[in-house]
Amino acid sequence: MTMKSSSRQIDGVTVLDLSGRITLGEGSVILRDTIRDLIGRGQKRILLNLGDVSYIDSSGIGELVSAFTTVRNQGGELKLLNLTKKVHYRH
């Protein structure tokens, strides 16, 4: 299953609804390109809804970190929403 994304605006925040797998290749590229596009349009408050993401590999984790860094360096905020047990980090 390839990753799909759609976005919506709520009170000045761009909610990016992701579904599928964030893995090496297409999933990571879609995430990277989508974040860059949002930043390019001046949308710097981003919420990644991961509720329908079934799997994230190490490349996908790297892409999430890169997205966070990119947004932060542009003066924005990126937050994660609806982490499933499969992708939720526990202390």
Side-chain angles (χ1 to χ4, degrees):
M1 174 186 221
T2 60
M3 191 187 90
K4 296 179 183 173
S5 70
S6 63
S7 64
R8 53 196 164 102
Q9 294 288 321
I10 300 175
D11 295 330
V13 174
T14 301
V15 179
L16 193 59
D17 296 305
L18 304 176
S19 63
R21 298 164 59 95
I22 305 175
T23 58
L24 179 64
E26 185 179 357
S28 293
V29 171
I30 290 170
L31 180 59
R32 181 182 320 122
D33 291 347
T34 303
I35 294 295
R36 287 181 180 168
D37 180 57
L38 291 173
I39 292 295
R41 292 187 280 143
Q43 298 172 352
K44 297 180 182 177
R45 296 177 66 205
I46 302 169
L47 184 63
L48 297 182
N49 179 5
L50 302 175
D52 289 329
V53 172
S54 59
Y55 180 74
I56 303 175
D57 70 4
S58 59
S59 177
I61 295 291
E63 202 55 55
L64 288 172
V65 172
S66 176
F68 175 82
T69 303
T70 298
V71 173
R72 179 63 64 97
N73 287 342
Q74 295 296 317
E77 289 183 90
L78 183 139
K79 297 189 179 185
L80 306 179
L81 175 68
N82 291 328
L83 292 169
T84 65
K85 289 184 179 183
K86 288 183 179 180
V87 297
H88 190 270
Y89 174 77
R90 295 187 185 266
H91 298 275

